[in-house]
Amino acid sequence: MKKIILIGRSECGKTTLTQALKGEKIHYQKTQYVNHFDVIIDTPGEYIQTKNLGSAIAMYTFEADVVGLLLSAGEPYSLYPPCCTPLCNRPVIGIVTQVKCGDANPDRAEEWLRLAGCETIFHVDSKTGEGVWRVLEYLREDGDVLPWDEK
């Protein structure tokens, strides 16, 4: 599997998506520091929301094969400036989270991620599992076996 770093503001669903990608039971857990798992790097939202911590995020992207920019479908604005993805020297994907929340507008969130430079975009709802398998499939490399693969 390709290693992915999940970046986004607080409460956008990074840790919940991490739990869903790992096949764990979903439970709320505030991320206090950068967590490294086998193929996932989960970052605190404060790192992208605070100018002085932004350089730390830039450094952590070098430890991943793929950068995942997360944006909740309920967001009233985007933290990502237009055309920011070329700053990474690896693929950057967009992940629209919380697509089933009451005030969700996944099309708007997708447009903001496209403006940031994401060409590949996934829509997920980690609590229901919707779309999570597509992210796993994207991260899969030849020879990787996923839970739904027949053995």
Side-chain angles (χ1 to χ4, degrees):
M1 296 279 284
K2 296 177 198 121
K3 190 171 202 170
I4 186 170
I5 183 169
L6 302 177
I7 300 172
R9 77 159 195 86
S10 296
E11 300 179 11
C12 74
K14 297 178 302 297
T15 300
T16 306
L17 178 59
T18 297
Q19 293 168 359
L21 289 170
K22 292 169 59 181
E24 297 178 351
K25 181 179 177 187
I26 304 298
H27 64 281
Y28 178 76
Q29 177 181 337
K30 171 68 180 113
T31 302
Q32 298 293 324
Y33 48 87
V34 176
N35 291 306
H36 289 258
F37 301 101
D38 290 337
V39 293
I40 303 169
I41 302 172
D42 183 13
T43 63
E46 291 80 7
Y47 278 51
I48 193 75
Q49 293 171 248
T50 307
K51 182 180 179 181
N52 293 338
L53 296 173
S55 58
I57 284 289
M59 296 306 294
Y60 279 110
T61 62
F62 291 107
E63 297 182 25
D65 301 310
V66 177
V67 175
L69 298 184
L70 277 70
L71 189 60
S72 169
E75 284 295 329
Y77 61 90
S78 173
L79 286 175
Y80 309 115
C83 304
C84 67
T85 61
L87 297 173
C88 298
N89 63 351
R90 54 212 4 84
V92 181
I93 62 171
I95 303 173
V96 178
T97 60
Q98 303 170 357
V99 296
K100 297 294 185 190
C101 72
D103 57 348
N105 188 340
D107 292 335
R108 179 179 63 194
E110 179 175 337
E111 182 59 30
W112 285 336
L113 288 168
R114 289 202 186 283
L115 285 171
C118 299
E119 294 179 9
T120 302
I121 308 240
F122 299 95
H123 289 226
V124 301
D125 188 287
S126 299
K127 291 183 179 176
T128 65
E130 180 180 330
V132 173
W133 70 270
R134 287 185 175 96
V135 177
L136 284 169
E137 190 68 36
Y138 176 84
L139 296 174
R140 178 166 134 156
E141 294 180 314
D142 290 340
D144 287 343
V145 178
L146 294 177
W148 54 81
D149 289 336
E150 294 182 4
K151 294 183 179 182

